[in-house]
């Protein structure tokens, strides 16, 4: 995933250019993981061998964790002061149109040139329009889209809080949520894999708390919440590291993995330093704009290109050309959908604002009557 994978800039704040660069780094990590290791390991690519970079590319998997940290940070800021309708419109515009366009492109490419394993049926395509194809017992059009479902469920949690008129309490909700996840991990670990009760959600909570500390400073609750979220996150990573090592040919070093995760936390916490938040980094905005399209387009299309063009002797040329092609395709997707279509998309998704705000007002009135 991230928003994340898909997160926009924090509302009413100067753009944090370090965050833009970190988002792009996360995307490149995931691309390396899929092109240099995962596609070959899981049999989706059988025309090329592992390269000497494969043992390093294994760690690209953890770019997803960085995406989720960033998403939690950004959503904590962008949801603040918004109504539920405003939040739905802003997230809908950011998440779905580029996803639909990338899904269509992926379907066309893999059905025309990909292996049978990658082909997309009509029913599968239609189910994936919702971003939650598992509800219809259909697989994702592209394997990487599972992260978007997790992202969407995080948005749903924030939306429910806004609908209940509790948006002003988000700064307290995230630390409490983190503490609850740790309690579940300690006393009911068998349910910690359920949505909102642990796992990747600890990274969302971590990012949100880091953002709150940056804006409001430390408090006992925030310190406890961040500590709880980090314990839950590192425990989750450690448990999945065992499964990962058992399943693949290259073993991931626990030292490297935990060092990476710790580095992600440190990188975000650097934003607590005012001077870091005002850093000007060349090209940070353009590369950030390409991040979500890169993530959406790279996997199954990349597998198909490698399968068709790659051989053991020409990978030194094919991989760089694929990366250039991916950047161009990502820019086209961003420009055509997210830039040129922006006003149309906001008008279309804007129709959702009124009903959600109406529900929120109703809940506000109910809460007022209950308290009086």
């Amino acid at each position: 995933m991230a928003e994340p994978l898909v997160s926009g800039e924090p509302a009413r704040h100067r753009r944090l250019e370090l965050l833009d660069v970190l988002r792009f780094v996360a995307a490149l990590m995931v691309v390396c993981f899929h092109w240099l290791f995962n596609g070959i390991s899981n049999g989706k690519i059988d025309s090329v061998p592992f390269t000497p970079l494969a043992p390093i590319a294994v760690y690209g998997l953890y770019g997803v964790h960085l995406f989720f940290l960033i998403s939690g940070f950004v959503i904590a800021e962008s949801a603040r002061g918004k109504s539920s309708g405003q939040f739905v419109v802003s997230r809908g515009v950011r998440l779905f149109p580029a996803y639909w366009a990338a899904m269509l492109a992926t379907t066309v490419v893999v059905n025309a040139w990909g292996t049978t394993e990658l082909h997309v049926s009509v029913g599968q395509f239609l189910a994936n329009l919702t971003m939650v194809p598992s509800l219809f017992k259909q697989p994702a059009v592209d394997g990487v889209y599972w992260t978007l479902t997790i992202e969407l469920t995080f948005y749903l949690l924030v939306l429910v809080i806004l609908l209940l008129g509790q948006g002003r309490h988000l700064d307290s909700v995230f630390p409490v949520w983190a503490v609850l996840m740790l309690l579940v991990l300690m006393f009911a670990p068998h349910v910690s894999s359920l949505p909102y009760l642990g796992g990747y959600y600890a990274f969302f909570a971590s990012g949100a708390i880091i953002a709150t500390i940056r804006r409001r400073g430390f408090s006992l609750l925030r310190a406890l919440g961040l500590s709880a979220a980090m314990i839950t996150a590192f425990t989750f990573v450690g448990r999945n590291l065992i499964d990962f090592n058992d399943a693949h040919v290259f073993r991931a070093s626990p030292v490297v993995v935990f060092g990476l995760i710790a580095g992600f936390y440190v990188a975000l916490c650097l934003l607590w330093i005012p001077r870091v938040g005002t850093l000007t980094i060349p090209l940070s905005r353009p590369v950030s704009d390409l991040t979500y399209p890169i993530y959406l387009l790279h996997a199954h299309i990349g597998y198909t290109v490698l399968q068709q063009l790659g051989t053991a002797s020409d990978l030194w040329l094919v991989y760089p050309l694929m990366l250039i092609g991916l950047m161009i395709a990502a820019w086209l997707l961003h420009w055509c959908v997210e830039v040129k279509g922006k006003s149309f998309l906001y008008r279309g998704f804007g129709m959702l604002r009124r009903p959600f705000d109406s529900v929120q007002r109703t809940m506000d009135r109910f809460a007022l009557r209950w308290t009086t």
Side-chain angles (χ1 to χ4, degrees):
M1 47 175 179
E3 337 280 310
L5 298 177
V6 296
S7 301
E9 63 187 271
R12 299 179 303 281
H13 283 258
R14 185 186 188 280
R15 192 172 185 93
L16 301 175
E17 298 191 9
L18 176 60
L19 214 60
D20 291 335
V21 173
L22 289 173
R23 189 182 290 118
F24 186 68
V25 168
L28 292 184
M29 288 178 66
V30 175
V31 170
C32 290
F33 172 73
H34 287 114
W35 287 4
L36 295 169
F37 171 70
N38 194 59
I40 302 170
S41 174
N42 63 23
K44 289 186 171 71
I45 305 168
D46 58 20
S47 61
V48 300
F50 289 115
T51 71
L53 294 175
I56 300 173
V58 165
Y59 299 103
L61 170 67
Y62 297 97
V64 170
H65 302 67
L66 177 55
F67 270 132
F68 289 156
L69 267 175
I70 295 171
S71 184
F73 186 105
V74 173
I75 295 304
E77 296 296 278
S78 64
R80 189 165 55 90
K82 276 197 174 83
S83 69
S84 59
Q86 290 173 317
F87 181 75
V88 167
V89 173
S90 66
R91 292 300 93 192
V93 169
R94 186 69 178 111
L95 199 66
F96 280 97
Y99 164 73
W100 289 330
M103 191 177 69
L104 177 61
T106 299
T107 299
V108 170
V109 170
V110 300
N111 281 3
W113 297 289
T115 62
T116 303
E117 181 184 1
L118 299 181
H119 282 190
V120 178
S121 68
V122 174
Q124 181 184 357
F125 182 88
L126 294 176
N128 273 261
L129 292 173
T130 66
M131 207 174 280
V132 194
S134 59
L135 293 178
F136 305 93
K137 303 188 185 305
Q138 290 285 350
V141 164
D142 190 306
V144 302
Y145 293 169
W146 66 269
T147 59
L148 302 181
T149 301
I150 295 179
E151 187 88 21
L152 195 63
T153 57
F154 173 57
Y155 290 175
L156 180 60
L157 173 65
V158 176
L159 174 60
V160 169
I161 294 169
L162 295 177
L163 280 172
L164 294 175
Q166 301 303 308
R168 63 189 180 279
H169 298 306
L170 275 173
D171 289 348
S172 299
V173 168
F174 290 125
V176 170
W177 180 32
V179 171
L180 288 175
M181 282 192 281
L182 179 58
L183 291 175
V184 168
L185 179 65
M186 293 171 61
F187 300 108
H190 57 286
V191 299
S192 63
S193 60
L194 295 176
Y196 305 119
L197 297 182
Y200 290 108
Y201 296 96
F203 289 93
F204 290 115
S206 297
I209 298 167
I210 291 171
T212 303
I213 292 172
R214 176 180 180 271
R215 179 167 32 85
R216 299 186 60 182
F218 275 97
S219 70
L220 178 60
L221 177 60
R222 290 169 209 142
L224 287 174
L226 183 56
S227 299
M230 290 180 66
I231 293 170
T232 304
F234 275 85
T235 302
F236 170 72
V237 169
R239 289 178 174 177
N240 282 274
L241 177 67
I242 297 173
D243 295 337
F244 183 74
N245 281 340
D246 288 345
H248 297 92
V249 291
F250 299 113
R251 297 183 64 84
S253 164
V255 173
V256 175
V257 171
F258 287 121
L260 271 177
I261 302 299
F264 297 158
Y265 274 92
V266 169
L268 253 67
C269 290
L270 286 176
L271 292 169
W272 293 340
I273 304 172
R275 187 171 297 179
V276 175
T278 60
L279 281 176
T280 299
I281 304 175
L283 300 179
S284 61
R285 180 61 185 263
V287 298
S288 177
D289 290 338
L290 295 181
T291 298
Y292 188 38
I294 286 172
Y295 190 85
L296 293 170
L297 291 169
H298 79 276
H300 282 197
I301 292 177
Y303 294 163
T304 300
V305 172
L306 268 176
Q307 185 69 23
Q308 293 292 332
L309 303 179
T311 65
S313 61
D314 65 7
L315 288 180
W316 64 273
L317 177 62
V318 171
Y319 276 128
L321 289 177
M322 284 178 61
L323 187 60
I324 294 171
L326 176 61
M327 295 297 178
I328 294 172
W331 181 84
L332 288 172
L333 178 58
H334 167 67
W335 177 253
C336 294
V337 177
E338 298 181 316
V339 175
K340 302 302 289 185
K342 186 174 182 179
S343 58
F344 170 77
L345 294 171
Y346 268 100
R347 285 196 299 270
F349 280 87
M351 293 186 294
L352 298 173
R353 178 174 175 177
R354 182 172 295 178
F356 278 96
D357 283 347
S358 178
V359 171
Q360 183 175 341
R361 286 192 296 270
T362 300
M363 296 300 296
D364 286 342
R365 288 194 295 268
F366 177 79
L368 182 62
R369 291 176 184 174
W370 181 263
T371 55
T372 57

